[in-house]
Amino acid sequence: MAEHDPVKTLLEKTEKAGVAMLATTDSGGRIVSRPMAIQEIEPDHTIWFITRVSTTKIGEVTGSQPVNVTVAEKGFWASITGTATVEGDVERKKRYWSKTTEAFFGESQPEDSDIVLLKVDPDTGEYWDSPGLPATVVEVIKGMVSDEPARPGESNTVEL
């Protein structure tokens, strides 16, 4: 039987979600979150987004401030912490460019200097994975009628 890999579960299900909330800290110390399309999660765990350099989030990720990437998708919730940097790799931008990307960036092209990549290098992650509503209900009922706590899914914290 294959051993369960929590890191693989976290990263594959996060990438499959497709959209994450990216949280940064503004100059006043407030946490600010916004939805971002996940372009790719590489085997080394790097998470890639595409954005405009003129957005406020770019100023909030300079200087190695921590960021948080969260997803919530059909019984799966994840929180990944790390640091973000800005890159201008035109070939990578071209690789991520699609009709969907064009819908967000209008007349811009991957070669435009205002279009940049946001690279998140994760440190740690935590996830909660539920087998679905029926199984969760059964577990909660079992917890209510027995001395055993409900175990409605899996939760793991991992170093990335």
Side-chain angles (χ1 to χ4, degrees):
M1 183 173 171
E3 187 176 315
H4 174 69
D5 183 354
V7 171
K8 184 176 179 180
T9 298
L10 170 66
L11 298 175
E12 286 180 353
K13 289 192 170 200
T14 297
E15 187 170 33
K16 184 179 176 187
V19 175
M21 293 297 287
L22 174 69
T24 57
T25 305
D26 72 11
S27 61
R30 287 182 323 122
I31 297 171
V32 183
S33 297
R34 78 281 290 156
M36 300 281 293
I38 299 168
Q39 300 301 315
E40 177 181 23
I41 299 181
E42 292 186 309
D44 70 355
H45 312 156
T46 302
I47 305 169
W48 291 95
F49 300 98
I50 192 167
T51 189
R52 290 188 184 279
V53 75
S54 55
T55 62
T56 57
K57 71 181 142 299
I58 296 303
E60 295 166 358
V61 301
T62 56
S64 299
Q65 292 94 332
V67 298
N68 185 260
V69 176
T70 59
V71 298
E73 178 76 12
K74 297 179 186 165
F76 177 76
W77 302 268
S79 174
I80 300 170
T81 60
T83 54
T85 55
V86 179
E87 297 200 5
D89 181 341
V90 174
E91 291 307 310
R92 186 178 292 270
K93 290 190 293 184
K94 286 180 181 178
R95 195 168 79 224
Y96 295 154
W97 207 256
S98 67
K99 291 290 184 191
T100 304
T101 310
E102 287 177 8
F104 284 96
F105 295 106
E107 297 294 318
S108 296
Q109 295 295 313
E111 298 85 1
D112 294 349
S113 60
D114 188 45
I115 305 299
V116 293
L117 299 163
L118 194 59
K119 175 185 176 186
V120 175
D121 293 307
D123 299 321
T124 61
E126 187 169 5
Y127 71 89
W128 301 264
D129 194 10
S130 170
L133 185 58
T136 299
V137 170
V138 168
E139 279 297 316
V140 169
I141 292 171
K142 282 175 28 181
M144 291 169 65
V145 299
S146 73
D147 293 334
E148 295 295 318
R151 301 204 191 287
E154 157 185 14
S155 175
N156 276 297
T157 301
V158 296
E159 295 294 320
L160 299 167

PDB file of all heavy atoms in Angstrom, residues 54-73:
ATOM      1  N   SER A  54       1.574  47.476 -11.269  1.00  0.00           N
ATOM      2  CA  SER A  54       0.979  48.701 -10.733  1.00  0.00           C
ATOM      3  C   SER A  54      -0.050  48.457  -9.631  1.00  0.00           C
ATOM      4  O   SER A  54      -0.648  49.400  -9.129  1.00  0.00           O
ATOM      5  CB  SER A  54       0.321  49.487 -11.878  1.00  0.00           C
ATOM      6  OG  SER A  54      -0.622  48.676 -12.566  1.00  0.00           O
ATOM      7  N   THR A  55      -0.247  47.220  -9.211  1.00  0.00           N
ATOM      8  CA  THR A  55      -1.209  46.934  -8.142  1.00  0.00           C
ATOM      9  C   THR A  55      -0.567  47.142  -6.772  1.00  0.00           C
ATOM     10  O   THR A  55       0.652  47.029  -6.618  1.00  0.00           O
ATOM     11  CB  THR A  55      -1.750  45.494  -8.235  1.00  0.00           C
ATOM     12  OG1 THR A  55      -0.644  44.586  -8.075  1.00  0.00           O
ATOM     13  CG2 THR A  55      -2.439  45.243  -9.568  1.00  0.00           C
ATOM     14  N   THR A  56      -1.402  47.414  -5.775  1.00  0.00           N
ATOM     15  CA  THR A  56      -0.878  47.652  -4.429  1.00  0.00           C
ATOM     16  C   THR A  56      -0.209  46.412  -3.840  1.00  0.00           C
ATOM     17  O   THR A  56       0.708  46.549  -3.033  1.00  0.00           O
ATOM     18  CB  THR A  56      -1.988  48.133  -3.473  1.00  0.00           C
ATOM     19  OG1 THR A  56      -3.036  47.165  -3.457  1.00  0.00           O
ATOM     20  CG2 THR A  56      -2.530  49.481  -3.891  1.00  0.00           C
ATOM     21  N   LYS A  57      -0.649  45.235  -4.233  1.00  0.00           N
ATOM     22  CA  LYS A  57      -0.049  44.020  -3.653  1.00  0.00           C
ATOM     23  C   LYS A  57       1.443  43.917  -3.944  1.00  0.00           C
ATOM     24  O   LYS A  57       2.201  43.375  -3.156  1.00  0.00           O
ATOM     25  CB  LYS A  57      -0.792  42.765  -4.103  1.00  0.00           C
ATOM     26  CG  LYS A  57      -0.613  42.391  -5.543  1.00  0.00           C
ATOM     27  CD  LYS A  57      -1.428  41.140  -5.861  1.00  0.00           C
ATOM     28  CE  LYS A  57      -2.061  41.173  -7.222  1.00  0.00           C
ATOM     29  NZ  LYS A  57      -3.000  42.201  -7.512  1.00  0.00           N
ATOM     30  N   ILE A  58       1.883  44.476  -5.078  1.00  0.00           N
ATOM     31  CA  ILE A  58       3.305  44.404  -5.422  1.00  0.00           C
ATOM     32  C   ILE A  58       4.134  45.159  -4.386  1.00  0.00           C
ATOM     33  O   ILE A  58       5.159  44.669  -3.925  1.00  0.00           O
ATOM     34  CB  ILE A  58       3.546  44.935  -6.853  1.00  0.00           C
ATOM     35  CG1 ILE A  58       2.842  44.039  -7.882  1.00  0.00           C
ATOM     36  CG2 ILE A  58       5.045  45.035  -7.151  1.00  0.00           C
ATOM     37  CD1 ILE A  58       3.244  42.578  -7.856  1.00  0.00           C
ATOM     38  N   GLY A  59       3.689  46.317  -3.966  1.00  0.00           N
ATOM     39  CA  GLY A  59       4.387  47.052  -2.915  1.00  0.00           C
ATOM     40  C   GLY A  59       4.342  46.338  -1.580  1.00  0.00           C
ATOM     41  O   GLY A  59       5.220  46.530  -0.740  1.00  0.00           O
ATOM     42  N   GLU A  60       3.333  45.518  -1.382  1.00  0.00           N
ATOM     43  CA  GLU A  60       3.171  44.811  -0.107  1.00  0.00           C
ATOM     44  C   GLU A  60       4.003  43.534  -0.013  1.00  0.00           C
ATOM     45  O   GLU A  60       4.102  42.956   1.062  1.00  0.00           O
ATOM     46  CB  GLU A  60       1.691  44.491   0.102  1.00  0.00           C
ATOM     47  CG  GLU A  60       0.849  45.740   0.257  1.00  0.00           C
ATOM     48  CD  GLU A  60      -0.642  45.512   0.126  1.00  0.00           C
ATOM     49  OE1 GLU A  60      -1.069  44.361  -0.134  1.00  0.00           O
ATOM     50  OE2 GLU A  60      -1.391  46.486   0.268  1.00  0.00           O
ATOM     51  N   VAL A  61       4.621  43.106  -1.116  1.00  0.00           N
ATOM     52  CA  VAL A  61       5.422  41.874  -1.062  1.00  0.00           C
ATOM     53  C   VAL A  61       6.916  42.152  -1.145  1.00  0.00           C
ATOM     54  O   VAL A  61       7.719  41.238  -1.004  1.00  0.00           O
ATOM     55  CB  VAL A  61       5.021  40.851  -2.160  1.00  0.00           C
ATOM     56  CG1 VAL A  61       3.572  40.463  -2.020  1.00  0.00           C
ATOM     57  CG2 VAL A  61       5.333  41.363  -3.551  1.00  0.00           C
ATOM     58  N   THR A  62       7.297  43.406  -1.353  1.00  0.00           N
ATOM     59  CA  THR A  62       8.722  43.713  -1.389  1.00  0.00           C
ATOM     60  C   THR A  62       9.276  43.720   0.024  1.00  0.00           C
ATOM     61  O   THR A  62       8.573  44.017   0.984  1.00  0.00           O
ATOM     62  CB  THR A  62       8.982  45.072  -2.064  1.00  0.00           C
ATOM     63  OG1 THR A  62       8.244  46.068  -1.381  1.00  0.00           O
ATOM     64  CG2 THR A  62       8.572  45.052  -3.524  1.00  0.00           C
ATOM     65  N   GLY A  63      10.527  43.363   0.169  1.00  0.00           N
ATOM     66  CA  GLY A  63      11.145  43.357   1.489  1.00  0.00           C
ATOM     67  C   GLY A  63      10.922  42.082   2.266  1.00  0.00           C
ATOM     68  O   GLY A  63      11.094  42.050   3.472  1.00  0.00           O
ATOM     69  N   SER A  64      10.537  41.015   1.592  1.00  0.00           N
ATOM     70  CA  SER A  64      10.379  39.684   2.218  1.00  0.00           C
ATOM     71  C   SER A  64       9.301  39.616   3.287  1.00  0.00           C
ATOM     72  O   SER A  64       9.399  38.825   4.219  1.00  0.00           O
ATOM     73  CB  SER A  64      11.706  39.192   2.788  1.00  0.00           C
ATOM     74  OG  SER A  64      12.661  39.071   1.773  1.00  0.00           O
ATOM     75  N   GLN A  65       8.262  40.450   3.182  1.00  0.00           N
ATOM     76  CA  GLN A  65       7.156  40.324   4.120  1.00  0.00           C
ATOM     77  C   GLN A  65       6.442  38.990   3.863  1.00  0.00           C
ATOM     78  O   GLN A  65       6.364  38.533   2.733  1.00  0.00           O
ATOM     79  CB  GLN A  65       6.150  41.468   3.954  1.00  0.00           C
ATOM     80  CG  GLN A  65       6.664  42.805   4.360  1.00  0.00           C
ATOM     81  CD  GLN A  65       7.234  43.576   3.177  1.00  0.00           C
ATOM     82  OE1 GLN A  65       7.713  43.013   2.211  1.00  0.00           O
ATOM     83  NE2 GLN A  65       7.201  44.881   3.275  1.00  0.00           N
ATOM     84  N   PRO A  66       5.918  38.380   4.908  1.00  0.00           N
ATOM     85  CA  PRO A  66       5.205  37.120   4.725  1.00  0.00           C
ATOM     86  C   PRO A  66       3.884  37.314   3.978  1.00  0.00           C
ATOM     87  O   PRO A  66       3.258  38.372   4.068  1.00  0.00           O
ATOM     88  CB  PRO A  66       4.958  36.621   6.146  1.00  0.00           C
ATOM     89  CG  PRO A  66       5.166  37.791   7.031  1.00  0.00           C
ATOM     90  CD  PRO A  66       6.025  38.773   6.306  1.00  0.00           C
ATOM     91  N   VAL A  67       3.506  36.289   3.234  1.00  0.00           N
ATOM     92  CA  VAL A  67       2.216  36.258   2.551  1.00  0.00           C
ATOM     93  C   VAL A  67       1.515  34.970   2.933  1.00  0.00           C
ATOM     94  O   VAL A  67       2.130  34.031   3.459  1.00  0.00           O
ATOM     95  CB  VAL A  67       2.356  36.352   1.008  1.00  0.00           C
ATOM     96  CG1 VAL A  67       3.011  37.665   0.603  1.00  0.00           C
ATOM     97  CG2 VAL A  67       3.118  35.161   0.445  1.00  0.00           C
ATOM     98  N   ASN A  68       0.227  34.928   2.662  1.00  0.00           N
ATOM     99  CA  ASN A  68      -0.550  33.722   2.919  1.00  0.00           C
ATOM    100  C   ASN A  68      -1.411  33.441   1.699  1.00  0.00           C
ATOM    101  O   ASN A  68      -2.019  34.345   1.134  1.00  0.00           O
ATOM    102  CB  ASN A  68      -1.427  33.902   4.158  1.00  0.00           C
ATOM    103  CG  ASN A  68      -2.157  32.631   4.513  1.00  0.00           C
ATOM    104  OD1 ASN A  68      -3.327  32.471   4.196  1.00  0.00           O
ATOM    105  ND2 ASN A  68      -1.471  31.717   5.162  1.00  0.00           N
ATOM    106  N   VAL A  69      -1.429  32.181   1.286  1.00  0.00           N
ATOM    107  CA  VAL A  69      -2.255  31.718   0.176  1.00  0.00           C
ATOM    108  C   VAL A  69      -3.274  30.756   0.765  1.00  0.00           C
ATOM    109  O   VAL A  69      -2.894  29.770   1.414  1.00  0.00           O
ATOM    110  CB  VAL A  69      -1.392  31.001  -0.893  1.00  0.00           C
ATOM    111  CG1 VAL A  69      -2.252  30.430  -2.003  1.00  0.00           C
ATOM    112  CG2 VAL A  69      -0.334  31.946  -1.447  1.00  0.00           C
ATOM    113  N   THR A  70      -4.567  31.040   0.575  1.00  0.00           N
ATOM    114  CA  THR A  70      -5.600  30.159   1.114  1.00  0.00           C
ATOM    115  C   THR A  70      -6.550  29.721   0.013  1.00  0.00           C
ATOM    116  O   THR A  70      -6.787  30.439  -0.951  1.00  0.00           O
ATOM    117  CB  THR A  70      -6.432  30.841   2.223  1.00  0.00           C
ATOM    118  OG1 THR A  70      -7.046  32.010   1.683  1.00  0.00           O
ATOM    119  CG2 THR A  70      -5.574  31.216   3.407  1.00  0.00           C
ATOM    120  N   VAL A  71      -7.071  28.500   0.180  1.00  0.00           N
ATOM    121  CA  VAL A  71      -8.092  27.993  -0.739  1.00  0.00           C
ATOM    122  C   VAL A  71      -9.206  27.329   0.061  1.00  0.00           C
ATOM    123  O   VAL A  71      -8.988  26.835   1.168  1.00  0.00           O
ATOM    124  CB  VAL A  71      -7.537  26.987  -1.777  1.00  0.00           C
ATOM    125  CG1 VAL A  71      -6.505  27.622  -2.667  1.00  0.00           C
ATOM    126  CG2 VAL A  71      -6.970  25.749  -1.123  1.00  0.00           C
ATOM    127  N   ALA A  72     -10.388  27.353  -0.513  1.00  0.00           N
ATOM    128  CA  ALA A  72     -11.542  26.640   0.025  1.00  0.00           C
ATOM    129  C   ALA A  72     -12.256  26.053  -1.176  1.00  0.00           C
ATOM    130  O   ALA A  72     -12.738  26.791  -2.035  1.00  0.00           O
ATOM    131  CB  ALA A  72     -12.450  27.579   0.798  1.00  0.00           C
ATOM    132  N   GLU A  73     -12.303  24.736  -1.259  1.00  0.00           N
ATOM    133  CA  GLU A  73     -12.843  24.089  -2.444  1.00  0.00           C
ATOM    134  C   GLU A  73     -13.486  22.755  -2.096  1.00  0.00           C
ATOM    135  O   GLU A  73     -12.788  21.800  -1.798  1.00  0.00           O
ATOM    136  CB  GLU A  73     -11.701  23.882  -3.460  1.00  0.00           C
ATOM    137  CG  GLU A  73     -12.057  23.190  -4.732  1.00  0.00           C
ATOM    138  CD  GLU A  73     -12.817  24.069  -5.712  1.00  0.00           C
ATOM    139  OE1 GLU A  73     -12.873  25.286  -5.512  1.00  0.00           O
ATOM    140  OE2 GLU A  73     -13.372  23.517  -6.658  1.00  0.00           O
TER     141      GLU A  73
END
